[in-house]
């Protein structure tokens, strides 16, 4: 029964902790010891509210897309280009904000972004129908403003919370992606119904943005800025600061970051295409069921946007919460839990999306059911993918990593997917002898099949992430965390040997 202690074990603290972000911890380190719990929670509440407004601005256009197409006389391909312009401006400005977020005051960066996107959104509601080019430019400027927020805000939460508490705060934060998206559809379409013109929906979110700016200034503390502190320490120890190119070079050698970013890219591709075109697709399906003529297409009401928006809010909340809770429980027994859950979500969503698309001609109700299932499975990923980034990337590079991931995922994902769907749809329609309600519907139906197959590729990327995540998370762990992980491993090994000597089976 008596065993010799392992070498060096006497000096190791008996703390059942973990490698950063991989297995559940017993204690939380909140606010980096600088801010009270109440102040930290208030800060997260404000950031969540602004994230809500952020994603309402993202999806204020799809909620009234048919009306905007009629107002500016846009075809499907040009309408899809609206989102492409928005995302291209978003992604090309994201690396700049990531670089600034790792080095300068994050509150100032956030405030400037909110002011920019709110002001431009308000201005775009007054554009004349003969100036469609100006509306495209305005969407690009909104993309630049929102890039500042999406890049920097998660890093502030990472400064205020750690480990299990951090993933729950991120889960709450990312719940407002589907909630904001859904409310964007609902707000723009219902405002158009009430006022008779699509432009009034573009005057609601700017007012909400100004409220968020005031709350940001008053309630969000100066960030603990763990990244800046760590960077300053590195400069003191090594005599030089890391450049942006060095940071990117290091991230490109981090395979967990690379594969998970490609998985996020697929997620962005699918959600971008579906969120932009689904209300229009459902509207055309209803025209087909009613056997209406082409002249009725301009009379599409807001019902589909309202239903789709409400459904997005509900299943989005359920998906984010379910994903975070599944990750928390599964990580107790498997440190690869996060990427595995993301892979399952994308792989399982593929058949749901395919069935939703194919059944639309026969049953709108069945289409809504399978769209809801697909959205739920996709929403499992939102909080988890950010947490993966935060524990496989060093703190001083997290804003840069966030911006690089956003840049890649939007460039190869939802920057082009709505436009690509529109191009395929227009091409299919042009190959027909004459326009018809049937081929107006089928052109989008055939285009959407692409999303189901792309989802399978995303699942494969997350499975590859699972193969490397333990190794990469160890590289990021601090020396204290590494010692604690070793102590846990030694304790498990000694406990197993003791059981075997006593005749008990090994249950580890």
């Amino acid at each position: 029964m008596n065993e010799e202690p392992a070498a060096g074990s006497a000096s190791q603290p008996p703390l059942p902790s973990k490698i950063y972000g991989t297995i559940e911890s017993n204690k939380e380190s909140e606010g980096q010891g600088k801010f009270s719990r109440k102040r930290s929670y208030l800060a997260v509440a404000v950031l969540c509210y602004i994230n809500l407004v952020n994603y309402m601005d993202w999806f204020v256009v799809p909620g009234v897309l048919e009306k905007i197409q009629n107002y500016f006389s846009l075809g499907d391909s040009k309408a899809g280009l609206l989102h492409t312009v928005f995302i291209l401006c978003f992604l090309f400005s994201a690396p700049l904000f990531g670089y600034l977020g790792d080095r300068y005051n994050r509150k100032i960066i956030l405030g400037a972004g909110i002011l920019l996107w709110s002001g431009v959104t308000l201005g775009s509601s007054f554009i004349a129908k003969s100036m469609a080019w100006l509306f495209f430019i305005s969407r690009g400027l909104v993309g630049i403003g929102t890039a500042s927020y999406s890049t920097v805000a998660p890093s502030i939460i990472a400064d205020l919370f750690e480990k299990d508490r951090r993933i729950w705060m991120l889960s709450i934060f990312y719940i407002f992606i589907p909630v904001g998206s859904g409310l964007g559809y609902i707000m723009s379409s219902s405002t158009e119904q009430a006022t008779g013109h699509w432009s009034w929906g573009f005057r609601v979110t700017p007012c909400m943005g100004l409220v968020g700016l005031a709350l940001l200034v008053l309630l969000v503390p100066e960030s603990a800025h763990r990244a800046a502190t760590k960077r300053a320490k590195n400069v003191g120890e090594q005599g030089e600061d890391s450049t942006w190119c060095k940071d990117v070079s290091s991230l490109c050698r981090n395979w967990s970051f690379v594969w998970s970013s490609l998985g996020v890219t697929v997620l962005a591709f699918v959600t971008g295409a579906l969120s932009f075109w689904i209300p229009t697709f459902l509207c055309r399906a209803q025209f087909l069921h009613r056997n209406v003529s082409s002249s009725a297409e301009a009379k599409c009401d807001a019902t589909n946007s309202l239903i789709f928006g409400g459904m997005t809010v509900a299943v989005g909340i359920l998906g984010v919460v379910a994903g975070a809770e599944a990750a928390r429980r599964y990580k107790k027994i498997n440190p690869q839990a996060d990427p595995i859950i993301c892979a399952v979500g994308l792989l399982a969503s593929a058949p749901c999306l395919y069935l939703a698309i194919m059944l639309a001609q026969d049953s709108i109700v069945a289409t809504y059911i399978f769209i809801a299932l697909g959205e739920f499975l996709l929403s499992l990923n939102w909080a988890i993918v950010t947490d993966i980034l935060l524990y496989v990337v060093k703190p001083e590079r997290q804003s840069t990593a966030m911006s690089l991931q956003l840049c890649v995922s939007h460039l190869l994902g939802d920057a082009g997917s709505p436009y690509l769907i529109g191009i395929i749809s227009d091409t299919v329609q042009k190959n027909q002898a004459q326009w018809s309600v049937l081929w107006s519907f089928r052109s989008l139906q055939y285009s959407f099949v692409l999303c189901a197959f792309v989802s399978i590729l995303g699942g494969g990327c997350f499975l590859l992430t699972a193969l490397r995540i333990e190794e990469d998370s160890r590289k990021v762990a601090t020396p204290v965390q590494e010692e604690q992980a070793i102590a846990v491993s030694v304790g498990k090994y000694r406990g197993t040997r003791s059981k075997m000597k006593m005749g008990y089976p090994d249950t580890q």
Side-chain angles (χ1 to χ4, degrees):
M1 290 294 293
N2 296 326
E3 294 183 49
E4 291 295 324
S9 63
S11 62
Q12 294 171 344
L15 297 174
S17 189
K18 62 166 186 171
I19 293 177
Y20 187 70
T22 56
I23 306 172
E24 188 179 23
S25 168
N26 292 329
K27 293 186 179 181
E28 308 299 339
S29 175
E30 298 179 32
Q32 302 294 307
K34 185 175 179 180
F35 306 115
S36 67
R37 177 178 297 187
K38 181 179 179 181
R39 188 80 186 274
S40 297
Y41 286 153
L42 276 175
V44 171
V46 172
L47 294 175
C48 287
Y49 169 77
I50 301 173
N51 203 34
L52 172 75
V53 180
N54 179 19
Y55 277 90
M56 287 179 70
D57 257 334
W58 275 56
F59 292 98
V60 69
V61 170
V64 288
L65 183 58
E66 287 281 345
K67 305 301 186 297
I68 292 174
Q69 283 185 273
N70 293 333
Y71 183 81
F72 290 113
S73 300
L74 303 176
D76 284 351
S77 59
K78 288 185 178 179
L81 189 60
L82 273 172
H83 196 67
T84 299
V85 170
F86 174 90
I87 294 297
L88 285 175
C89 292
F90 176 96
L91 68 90
F92 284 124
S93 57
L96 172 62
F97 291 119
Y99 177 85
L100 297 175
D102 279 338
R103 290 161 175 82
Y104 301 105
N105 190 306
R106 290 169 174 169
K107 277 183 67 173
I108 294 176
I109 296 170
L110 293 183
I114 294 169
L115 200 59
L116 174 62
W117 95 58
S118 298
V120 173
T121 300
L122 179 62
S124 67
S125 67
F126 298 100
I127 295 175
K129 62 175 63 179
S130 60
M131 302 177 72
W133 59 271
L134 186 57
F135 189 74
F136 279 82
I137 292 175
S138 71
R139 293 310 294 169
L141 292 174
V142 172
I144 293 174
T146 58
S148 67
Y149 191 79
S150 298
T151 302
V152 175
S155 297
I156 293 180
I157 296 176
D159 284 345
L160 297 172
F161 299 93
E162 284 190 344
K163 302 175 183 177
D164 291 335
R165 186 70 60 182
R166 183 192 65 212
I167 192 173
W168 272 112
M169 292 300 105
L170 287 171
S171 299
I172 295 171
F173 180 79
Y174 282 108
I175 278 174
F176 288 91
I177 291 180
V179 171
S181 303
L183 289 179
Y185 291 111
I186 294 170
M187 183 274 297
S188 61
S189 57
S190 59
T191 304
E192 188 276 332
Q193 272 192 323
T195 62
H197 200 274
W198 62 267
S199 62
W200 283 98
F202 287 69
R203 298 166 189 170
V204 175
T205 54
C207 298
M208 298 174 67
L210 292 177
V211 173
L213 179 60
L215 294 174
L216 176 74
V217 173
L218 296 174
L219 299 178
V220 176
E222 293 295 332
S223 174
H225 219 337
R226 182 161 47 112
T229 304
K230 181 72 173 178
R231 184 176 297 277
K233 181 180 178 182
N234 288 343
V235 172
E237 293 176 353
Q238 302 173 10
E240 61 176 352
D241 192 8
S242 175
T243 65
W244 185 82
C245 291
K246 289 181 180 179
D247 287 349
V248 172
S249 176
S250 174
L251 291 170
C252 289
R253 296 191 299 270
N254 185 329
W255 286 107
S256 292
F257 172 76
V258 171
W259 287 118
S260 63
S261 295
L262 291 175
V264 174
T265 300
V266 169
L267 181 64
F269 183 97
V270 175
T271 55
L274 295 177
S275 61
F276 194 83
W277 283 111
I278 279 293
T280 301
F281 173 71
L282 293 171
C283 181
R284 294 181 184 181
Q286 287 187 333
F287 289 148
L288 186 64
H289 287 196
R290 298 169 187 168
N291 195 28
V292 298
S293 64
S294 61
S295 61
E297 184 157 12
K299 300 179 181 179
C300 181
D301 59 34
T303 303
N304 292 300
S305 293
L306 292 172
I307 295 174
F308 182 67
M311 186 174 67
T312 299
V313 171
V315 300
I317 292 173
L318 291 174
V320 173
V321 172
E325 181 62 15
R328 187 185 71 82
R329 291 176 179 272
Y330 190 27
K331 275 194 292 189
K332 294 178 180 179
I333 58 175
N334 187 354
Q336 299 173 326
D338 285 345
I340 289 175
I341 291 171
C342 291
V344 169
L346 276 168
L347 292 172
S349 70
C352 293
L353 296 177
Y354 183 81
L355 288 172
I357 295 162
M358 291 296 107
L359 292 174
Q361 187 172 349
D362 301 315
S363 173
I364 292 292
V365 174
T367 297
Y368 274 122
I369 291 172
F370 283 107
I371 288 175
L373 287 173
E375 283 193 309
F376 171 80
L377 292 166
L378 292 172
S379 296
L380 295 175
N381 298 340
W382 286 120
I384 299 175
V385 293
T386 302
D387 197 48
I388 290 174
L389 183 149
L390 292 174
Y391 67 73
V392 300
V393 175
K394 293 182 178 180
E396 64 269 25
R397 294 192 179 114
Q398 285 176 357
S399 286
T400 298
M402 191 76 65
S403 67
L404 188 62
Q405 187 177 87
L406 285 170
C407 184
V408 172
S409 63
H410 289 304
L411 177 63
L412 302 178
D414 56 346
S417 60
Y419 185 46
L420 181 60
I421 296 297
I423 288 176
I424 297 173
S425 175
D426 276 350
T427 302
V428 172
Q429 290 187 55
K430 287 176 182 177
N431 287 334
Q432 306 308 312
Q434 62 181 11
W435 187 94
S436 67
V437 172
L438 175 62
W439 281 104
S440 174
F441 161 77
R442 282 191 174 171
S443 61
L444 274 181
Q445 184 184 44
Y446 294 161
S447 303
F448 275 142
V449 173
L450 178 65
C451 294
F453 289 102
V454 171
S455 294
I456 298 173
L457 297 179
C461 290
F462 279 117
L463 290 177
L464 290 171
T465 304
L467 298 177
R468 297 298 301 263
I469 197 163
E470 288 184 89
E471 178 184 346
D472 290 332
S473 63
R474 289 193 191 100
K475 294 176 182 178
V476 177
T478 65
V480 173
Q481 289 166 337
E482 289 177 350
E483 289 177 7
Q484 292 172 350
I486 292 170
V488 172
S489 299
V490 170
K492 287 183 177 180
Y493 173 71
R494 292 175 63 189
T496 300
R497 287 188 60 192
S498 297
K499 287 181 178 181
M500 293 177 67
K501 285 189 176 184
M502 296 177 65
Y504 295 136
D506 180 12
T507 57
Q508 299 297 320

